[in-house]
Amino acid sequence: MSKPVHTQFTQFIPGPGLVGLACAVCATIAIGQMQLLDGATGRLFVAALVLLFYMVFCFVIFVGYRRKQQAALAWQNSDASQAGEASKEMLIAFASQTGFAEQIAQQTAQALKDAGMQIRACSLAQLDLAQLQAARRVLFVVSTTGEGDAPDSAAGFARKVMGQAATLPDLHYGVLALGDRSYMQYCAFGHALDAWLRHHGAHALFDMVEVDNGDPGALRHWQHHLGVLSGHTDMADWNAPGYERWILSERRLLNPGSAGGAVFHLSFKPVDAQQALSWQAGDIAEIGPRNDPAKVRALLDALQLDGSAPVQDETLSDILARSLLPHDAAGLASLQGMTAQALVDSLKPLPHREYSIASLPQDGRLELLVRQTILPDGNLGLGSGWLTAYLAEQGELDLRVRPNRGFHPPADDCPLILIGNGTGLAGLRAHMKARIALGRRRNWLLFGERSVQHDFFHRTEIERWQEDGMLARLDLAFSRDQAQRIYVQDRLREAAHLLQQWVDEGAAIYVCGSLDGMASGVAEVLSGILGEEVLDSMAEQGRYRRDVY
């Protein structure tokens, strides 16, 4: 992108040539005056005059030099300001064949604008390499057409931009890939774009989200990422999940005395005892949370409304429990004087929350591992507060299982390396259960947390797997148990030779847990040991999968 031209003149400063001409004219005049004066007096007069002209000349040169410096500094400051603005802006680039990708891009832009972010949206056809290199954060919403091709409007981008090398070390991006799983080349353009960006140094904000034929669940997952990016995780779902009613049958604290946040093991059963349980290892539970009952009562008191008042075949309290409530005095003031119906009409529903399922259907229950989140204001997080504190045991909740095909088990009996930290153990636990059910023993678990005394979740179960020969290798990283912090990526680096051997034997690598720190650190170690090309090839073959958040 070309720089702006700065053309600001506050006063006229003569250049050196013009000053020299003026000096020559003045010297001629001085010589003429000298002829009218005595010899000695004339020579002194001319010398003084020449010295004066020289001093003026040097002064003008100095002033001109300073002005050039100031102009250059102003230019640099302008560029820095523009770069600062660019770093704050989120660019949303879309490639659409039928208009659906553009529609999702518009919804994405509006959601982030509503959250207070600076947004610019454009078609991939309008985006060149220079603009891409100047951007700092980009969200791509792209469709695939034909036999894995880019949409017609993005063909030029695919050929001209993706067809050349680039350096993108400052770019952070996310990809929403739209496709149809009935086609052989499912979401192929999205995968190609993601691979090209990674190969040229760009950093993924989160793993690519695939959307099969407009799947609302996948779009809600995309919204989940938007909420994290914007810091506004309370944005309402574009399409509310079709929940079923479940019962919280057990809640157990796993880490009493831990220096970290409280982690709970939760078990759920459907209200309908005849309901068939159906999901695979890697799938996600979408939860419909509820507000703290005390907050609902406080709002009703402030508005002088009766919570038992019927509204749309429900009580006002029940509707407020699953609605976004005002956060400040101004929001509360805007609701004063409303009727119960008007209040309900003015509020948006709470968004869903997502958790990796830690069990299998044959266990007879759906299990989660949930860490209780405490917000800066001292309140509990929306989802974790509902599940770990406000929902009574044997109480009912809204829950829906969402398939997560990108984290389903390997189809064959290949060795499996499972890597995770914290509550990421949930997804890995389901995979271990699936492997054990099939009698597959080549399993390697690397798990990290704070301390072995308080944070070794499901320790008895994991040690039994090892004793029974179902866990061929177990590496643990408890970061606070020694002076030097040790994490799962460090354990992985220590076992580099064995990792290479397992991969050479066809192993798959599954990573579950926090994106910042753990997943990025693991990816760096894997790239260093195996090489980026090998890791990319494993991802394309489905042998390197992640469920990170």
Side-chain angles (χ1 to χ4, degrees), residues 392-443:
E393 284 202 46
Q394 305 306 316
E396 294 186 11
L397 78 158
D398 292 334
L399 186 150
R400 174 186 182 270
V401 173
R402 176 174 67 79
N404 184 22
R405 295 183 179 88
F407 204 62
H408 278 174
D412 57 1
D413 186 12
C414 65
L416 183 61
I417 303 171
L418 300 166
I419 307 171
N421 70 332
T423 57
L425 182 62
L428 305 183
R429 181 174 185 253
H431 278 287
M432 274 300 305
K433 285 174 169 286
R435 299 278 290 185
I436 291 170
L438 294 171
R440 295 175 176 174
R441 295 173 174 267
R442 287 294 304 277
N443 305 306

Side-chain angles (χ1 to χ4, degrees), residues 261-331:
V263 173
F264 291 84
H265 174 91
L266 306 170
S267 295
F268 304 91
K269 293 184 177 181
V271 170
D272 180 3
Q274 303 304 313
Q275 178 181 325
L277 303 182
S278 177
W279 65 84
Q280 292 189 49
D283 283 346
I284 300 294
E286 295 182 332
I287 300 292
R290 295 288 186 271
N291 289 308
D292 179 356
K295 286 190 173 183
V296 175
R297 289 194 297 271
L299 178 64
L300 290 168
D301 290 344
L303 300 179
Q304 297 183 334
L305 291 172
D306 180 6
S308 63
V311 181
Q312 301 170 355
D313 299 325
E314 295 184 83
T315 66
L316 178 58
S317 290
D318 288 341
I319 297 177
L320 295 182
R322 61 172 190 272
S323 300
L324 284 168
L325 304 182
H327 296 295
D328 51 32

Side-chain angles (χ1 to χ4, degrees), residues 237-274:
D237 293 325
W238 294 336
N239 295 287
Y243 293 121
E244 295 171 328
R245 299 296 288 171
W246 291 64
I247 296 171
L248 174 61
S249 57
E250 180 189 12
R251 179 164 55 212
R252 185 172 78 254
L253 179 63
L254 293 181
N255 61 341
S258 173
V263 173
F264 291 84
H265 174 91
L266 306 170
S267 295
F268 304 91
K269 293 184 177 181
V271 170
D272 180 3
Q274 303 304 313

Side-chain angles (χ1 to χ4, degrees), residues 136-444:
R136 292 296 175 265
R137 295 188 297 172
V138 184
L139 295 179
F140 296 92
V141 182
V142 298
S143 295
T144 296
T145 188
E147 295 301 320
D149 299 323
D152 295 341
S153 62
F157 178 90
R159 184 178 64 256
K160 297 175 185 177
V161 179
M162 294 172 61
Q164 60 181 308
T167 53
L168 303 168
D170 299 322
L171 179 63
H172 293 77
Y173 73 95
V175 176
L176 179 70
L178 307 176
D180 186 336
R181 198 173 290 276
S182 64
Y183 287 86
M184 288 289 293
Q185 302 298 326
Y186 174 59
C187 291
F189 180 57
H191 282 280
L193 174 61
D194 180 60
W196 182 82
L197 290 164
R198 283 188 286 106
H199 286 167
H200 294 90
H203 308 279
L205 293 163
F206 44 81
D207 285 350
M208 184 177 68
V209 178
E210 296 178 344
V211 181
D212 179 18
N213 215 12
D215 175 26
L219 291 175
R220 282 192 295 275
H221 187 52
W222 173 254
Q223 267 197 280
H224 163 77
H225 289 307
L226 300 184
V228 173
L229 284 176
S230 66
H232 287 255
T233 56
D234 56 358
M235 59 178 63
D237 293 325
W238 294 336
N239 295 287
Y243 293 121
E244 295 171 328
R245 299 296 288 171
W246 291 64
I247 296 171
L248 174 61
S249 57
E250 180 189 12
R251 179 164 55 212
R252 185 172 78 254
L253 179 63
L254 293 181
N255 61 341
S258 173
V263 173
F264 291 84
H265 174 91
L266 306 170
S267 295
F268 304 91
K269 293 184 177 181
V271 170
D272 180 3
Q274 303 304 313
Q275 178 181 325
L277 303 182
S278 177
W279 65 84
Q280 292 189 49
D283 283 346
I284 300 294
E286 295 182 332
I287 300 292
R290 295 288 186 271
N291 289 308
D292 179 356
K295 286 190 173 183
V296 175
R297 289 194 297 271
L299 178 64
L300 290 168
D301 290 344
L303 300 179
Q304 297 183 334
L305 291 172
D306 180 6
S308 63
V311 181
Q312 301 170 355
D313 299 325
E314 295 184 83
T315 66
L316 178 58
S317 290
D318 288 341
I319 297 177
L320 295 182
R322 61 172 190 272
S323 300
L324 284 168
L325 304 182
H327 296 295
D328 51 32
L332 179 61
S334 68
L335 304 178
Q336 292 290 344
M338 286 188 176
T339 65
Q341 183 65 60
L343 175 62
V344 168
D345 292 341
S346 69
L347 298 176
K348 294 181 179 180
L350 289 174
H352 78 287
R353 289 293 183 261
E354 300 184 346
Y355 300 94
S356 298
I357 300 175
S359 59
L360 297 178
Q362 49 264 44
D363 295 321
R365 57 196 175 276
L366 187 149
E367 298 178 340
L368 306 178
L369 270 66
V370 177
R371 188 183 300 275
Q372 192 175 76
T373 301
I374 301 178
L375 303 176
D377 62 4
N379 290 315
L380 297 181
L382 179 60
S384 68
W386 169 239
L387 292 175
T388 66
Y390 309 139
L391 175 62
E393 284 202 46
Q394 305 306 316
E396 294 186 11
L397 78 158
D398 292 334
L399 186 150
R400 174 186 182 270
V401 173
R402 176 174 67 79
N404 184 22
R405 295 183 179 88
F407 204 62
H408 278 174
D412 57 1
D413 186 12
C414 65
L416 183 61
I417 303 171
L418 300 166
I419 307 171
N421 70 332
T423 57
L425 182 62
L428 305 183
R429 181 174 185 253
H431 278 287
M432 274 300 305
K433 285 174 169 286
R435 299 278 290 185
I436 291 170
L438 294 171
R440 295 175 176 174
R441 295 173 174 267
R442 287 294 304 277
N443 305 306
W444 177 4

